[in-house]
DNA sequence: ATACCTTCGTCCC
DNA sequence: CGAAGGTAT
């Protein structure tokens, strides 16, 4: 839910800014919001698993806008599900499902306008969609990171650790996370408004005089956030007034109870967890190539942190960050694509065997890793790939062989890989799985904007199945051993 | 005055 | 998701 109505109350310290003012800077980009906006124009196609690249083009347009003005973007993607948000996620998934059902119904009634509207509300920015964009980013030598959990925490980490100068997002949650410099509402011309931490003292609508970071955070949680519903009647204004008066949440809760407000016992417990989730969420540090906490964790907090989600082996974290593994299922995207394309259980059985085999080879089971909801099948093939995508500066054109391979689909093995399927599993979504969008093609092409005119050719040449083509090759070899 | 609920636009042509 | 407007307290 973000922080309800926070941004309007910070108007006095929000300053207009244009991307060109950030020339020479690097910025972290909340890719979700761009993908989501871009997906609106082609939501019907996306929901049905039909081929489209409009959402990718939308993102690349903005990425190129940044590059045009000399700003170096690092695209950040959402990763795994945070236990604290699971009920919200379920709610949203259900809403999407309902809208999809409604859209299908409207469509069969011939009401295409209503259907379109529902499709827009049914689009899900799945890891597979992110993966499609990542294929393009790889080709363009653009930096990106898939967060182990939330992109918000990941972007804040990059900002605080000085790896980026600012963050571009639409989500006010970055403020309680403690992100020092945020650009909201960036439009297609590069115009937006800037929030700076250091300006808070000068805010007019709400006075933050005497507030420290902790108080700001507690105020935000008190008013209701993704991790904890607010007490009824508690919004931003009351939360602000309460924290201003009592300076800490426990005193506020004590006062509320004293005044006869019933504060459920779990509320206080959840509040602590919410604070810790904002402060110590797991993020990926591209410099050390490993999972760390958003801020350094002191030993006296060290007790149960399971609500931050399971930790993971270093190599898994690296593969997730690179976009090789689905951050939720921990399955390689290539394998997922293949399974969806073939959609036949005999192959699936073979691959599960393969997965198990590789899994044991990598000794990555056991430990904290065994208790996650989805079956934790994580494999790694071609173990030592280059992890350098995001730690290095621009010049590594020559050293990514797989990228060049991607452009040459030597194997015309499976042309029936786009179109034609996907319609069958519209009802499949009842299972609430990560289903049909995997059947969509992954369009990979280089020089995204300079060569826009060759778009039709690209489509015609069926370059769409290349990455899965590679996957199939590798599978074949591995299986025939 | 405040909080909460609903609706609408986001995209593109 | 945020913005905006209506409404209940």
């Amino acid at each position: 839910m973000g922080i309800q109505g926070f941004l309007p109350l910070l108007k006095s310290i929000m300053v207009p800014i244009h991307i060109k003012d950030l020339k020479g800077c690097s910025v972290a980009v909340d890719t979700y919001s761009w993908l989501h906006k871009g997906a609106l124009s082609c939501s019907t196609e996306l929901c049905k698993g039909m081929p489209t690249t409009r959402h990718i083009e939308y993102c690349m347009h903005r990425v190129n806008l940044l590059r045009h003005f000399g700003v170096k973007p690092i695209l950040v993607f959402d990763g795994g599900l945070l236990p604290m948000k699971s009920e919200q996620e379920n709610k949203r998934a259900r809403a999407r499902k309902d809208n999809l059902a409604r859209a299908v119904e409207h469509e069969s009634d011939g009401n295409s306008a209503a259907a379109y509207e529902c499709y827009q509300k049914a689009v899900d920015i799945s890891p597979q969609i992110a993966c499609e964009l990542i294929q393009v980013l790889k080709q363009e030598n653009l930096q990106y990171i898939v967060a182990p959990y939330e992109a918000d925490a990941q972007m804040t980490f990059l900002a605080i650790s000085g790896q980026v100068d600012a963050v571009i997002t639409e989500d006010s949650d970055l403020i309680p996370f403690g992100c020092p410099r945020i650009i909201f509402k960036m439009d297609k011309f590069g115009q937006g408004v800037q929030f700076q931490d250091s300006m808070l003292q000068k805010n007019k609508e709400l006075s933050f005089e005497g507030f420290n970071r902790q108080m700001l955070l507690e105020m935000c949680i008190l008013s209701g956030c993704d991790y904890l519903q607010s007490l009824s009647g508690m919004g931003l204004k009351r939360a602000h007034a309460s924290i201003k008066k009592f300076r800490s949440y426990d005193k506020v809760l004590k006062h509320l109870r004293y005044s006869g407000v019933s504060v459920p016992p779990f509320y206080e417990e959840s509040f602590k967890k919410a604070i810790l989730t904002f402060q110590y969420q797991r993020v990926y540090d591209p410099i050390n190539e490993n999972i760390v906490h958003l801020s350094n964790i002191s030993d006296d907090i060290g007790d149960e942190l399971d609500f931050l989600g399971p930790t993971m082996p270093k190599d898994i974290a690296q593969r997730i960050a690179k976009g090789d593994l689905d951050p939720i299922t921990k399955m390689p995207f290539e394998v997922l694509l293949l399974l969806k394309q073939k959609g036949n259980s005999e192959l699936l059985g073979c691959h599960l065997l393969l997965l198990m085999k590789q899994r044991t080879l990598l000794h990555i089971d056991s430990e904290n890793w065994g208790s996650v909801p989805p079956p934790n099948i994580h494999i790694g093939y071609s173990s030592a790939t280059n992890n350098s995508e995001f730690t290095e500066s621009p010049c590594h054109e020559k050293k990514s062989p797989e990228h060049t391979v991607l452009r040459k689909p030597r194997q015309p093995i499976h042309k029936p890989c786009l179109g034609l399927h996907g319609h069958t599993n519209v009802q499949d979504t009842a299972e609430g799985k990560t289903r049909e969008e995997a059947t969509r093609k992954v369009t990979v092409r280089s020089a995204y904007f300079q060569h826009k005119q060759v778009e039709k050719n690209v489509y015609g040449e069926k370059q769409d199945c290349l990455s899965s083509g590679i996957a199939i090759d590798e599978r074949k070899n591995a299986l025939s051993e």
Side-chain angles (χ1 to χ4, degrees):
Chain A
M1 255 185 254
I3 308 298
Q4 293 263 357
F6 198 10
L7 292 185
L9 296 173
L10 297 172
K11 250 197 216 152
S12 61
I13 56 167
M14 295 288 223
V15 288
I17 187 171
H18 191 276
I19 275 305
K20 67 179 181 229
D21 302 331
L22 294 172
K23 190 179 168 73
C25 292
S26 60
V27 296
V29 173
D30 187 0
T31 315
Y32 174 88
S33 54
W34 286 1
L35 269 177
H36 188 78
K37 278 193 209 169
L40 286 173
S41 60
C42 52
S43 45
T44 308
E45 290 83 354
L46 289 174
C47 287
K48 294 182 180 180
M50 290 158 66
T52 181
T53 54
R54 284 245 268 298
H55 54 310
I56 309 285
E57 278 157 27
Y58 181 89
C59 288
M60 291 310 293
H61 183 279
R62 294 196 168 206
V63 165
N64 284 323
L65 185 76
L66 296 181
R67 288 200 286 188
H68 177 259
F69 286 108
V71 177
K72 188 178 111 188
I74 299 177
L75 280 81
V76 179
F77 295 85
D78 272 308
L81 303 172
L82 214 52
M84 299 217 60
K85 283 178 89 171
S86 55
E87 58 177 285
Q88 298 271 343
E89 297 287 350
N90 288 336
K91 232 187 261 176
R92 276 174 211 171
R94 247 182 289 124
R96 278 196 299 268
K97 207 175 81 187
D98 291 347
N99 275 299
L100 187 61
R102 221 169 285 143
V104 171
E105 199 180 315
H106 280 136
E107 201 161 50
S108 64
D109 293 351
N111 191 345
S112 55
Y116 184 68
E117 220 169 276
C118 291
Y119 276 126
Q120 285 200 338
K121 291 173 184 164
V123 273
D124 179 23
I125 303 302
S126 62
Q128 282 82 6
I129 290 186
C131 181
E132 291 173 17
L133 178 55
I134 285 174
Q135 303 315 310
V136 178
L137 298 177
K138 279 183 182 171
Q139 290 237 322
E140 300 275 318
N141 282 323
L142 284 157
Q143 295 192 22
Y144 62 89
I145 301 175
V146 180
Y149 292 99
E150 289 186 294
D152 292 352
Q154 182 66 48
M155 294 186 295
T156 302
F157 175 77
L158 294 175
I160 288 177
S161 61
Q163 297 179 56
V164 298
D165 301 290
V167 170
I168 297 176
T169 184
E170 304 299 320
D171 193 348
S172 57
D173 273 346
L174 265 86
I175 296 173
F177 267 112
C179 187
R181 190 178 182 192
I182 312 167
I183 294 160
F184 293 104
K185 304 183 210 308
M186 196 196 93
D187 63 20
K188 60 179 166 186
F189 307 110
Q191 187 68 49
V193 290
Q194 178 178 239
F195 164 89
Q196 267 183 298
D197 226 346
S198 50
M199 300 281 284
L200 270 172
Q201 307 296 331
K202 296 174 186 144
N203 193 48
K204 291 279 185 291
E205 293 85 352
L206 291 177
S207 166
F208 291 106
E209 257 176 88
F211 270 59
N212 55 29
R213 196 174 294 282
Q214 181 72 19
M215 290 164 71
L216 183 72
L217 172 57
E218 291 179 8
M219 179 197 79
C220 290
I221 299 170
L222 208 50
S223 76
C225 67
D226 282 352
Y227 313 135
L228 183 59
Q229 287 272 316
S230 68
L231 298 166
S232 93
M234 184 64 76
L236 199 43
K237 292 292 180 73
R238 277 207 241 281
H240 173 259
S242 305
I243 291 293
K244 197 173 185 67
K245 190 166 176 184
F246 298 105
R247 299 188 60 82
S248 74
Y249 81 96
D250 49 334
K251 286 179 187 149
V252 171
L253 295 187
K254 221 172 277 176
H255 179 260
L256 285 175
R257 276 197 254 259
Y258 181 76
S259 335
V261 181
S262 78
V263 181
F266 71 84
Y267 184 81
E268 197 159 355
E269 190 60 30
S270 301
F271 204 103
K272 285 179 197 158
K273 289 182 183 175
I275 292 177
L276 295 174
T277 307
F278 273 112
Q279 290 175 331
Y280 302 114
Q281 187 163 154
R282 300 187 203 283
V283 295
Y284 184 76
D285 181 359
I287 291 178
N288 296 315
E289 299 182 320
N290 208 352
I291 300 280
V292 296
H293 290 285
L294 176 50
S295 27
N296 288 327
I297 202 151
S298 53
D299 296 335
D300 50 328
I301 304 181
D303 44 337
E304 308 198 3
L305 290 172
D306 53 331
F307 52 89
L308 294 182
T311 187
M312 58 188 88
K314 186 172 179 175
D315 65 322
I316 297 294
Q318 288 170 2
R319 285 163 203 277
I320 288 174
K322 279 173 63 179
D324 291 344
L325 302 187
D326 182 318
I328 298 171
T329 63
K330 277 78 184 176
M331 293 267 275
F333 281 109
E334 281 89 349
V335 173
L336 289 169
L337 263 167
L338 178 71
L339 293 180
K340 297 295 158 58
Q341 275 171 14
K342 297 301 172 185
N344 99 36
S345 53
E346 143 201 17
L347 253 178
L348 191 138
C350 290
H351 284 290
L352 286 181
L353 282 176
L354 173 67
L355 292 171
M356 299 308 284
K357 184 177 157 194
Q358 300 214 5
R359 185 185 184 188
T360 49
L361 288 177
L362 283 170
H363 330 83
I364 47 173
D365 347 42
S366 69
E367 301 211 292
N368 345 352
W369 202 231
S371 56
V372 201
N376 288 310
I377 306 158
H378 28 270
I379 77 163
Y381 54 92
S382 66
S383 193
T385 45
N386 51 328
N387 312 321
S388 52
E389 252 93 347
F390 21 79
T391 53
E392 284 184 1
S393 305
C395 54
H396 48 306
E397 281 102 319
K398 30 110 188 89
K399 60 124 67 177
S400 19
E402 85 252 34
H403 297 169
T404 47
V405 172
L406 279 174
R407 303 184 190 195
K408 300 172 194 154
R410 298 166 290 118
Q411 315 271 22
I413 312 175
H414 39 279
K415 42 182 176 187
C417 85
L418 81 131
L420 291 151
H421 40 358
H423 312 279
T424 50
N425 26 13
V426 171
Q427 285 94 340
D428 262 337
T429 51
E431 297 172 17
K433 286 287 157 203
T434 47
R435 35 33 181 153
E436 76 278 331
E437 44 265 352
T439 58
R440 226 170 305 111
K441 63 176 188 157
V442 178
T443 300
V444 186
R445 58 183 190 241
S446 60
Y448 218 77
F449 277 80
Q450 294 92 319
H451 297 31
K452 251 206 144 164
Q453 60 279 25
V454 288
E455 222 165 56
K456 289 170 210 128
N457 294 345
V458 172
Y459 285 126
E461 284 165 14
K462 296 212 174 22
Q463 290 200 348
D464 355 73
C465 321
L466 10 156
S467 71
S468 50
I470 287 165
I472 288 169
D473 291 343
E474 293 202 20
R475 289 315 117 196
K476 274 190 169 173
N477 297 337
L479 278 172
S480 58
E481 286 178 23

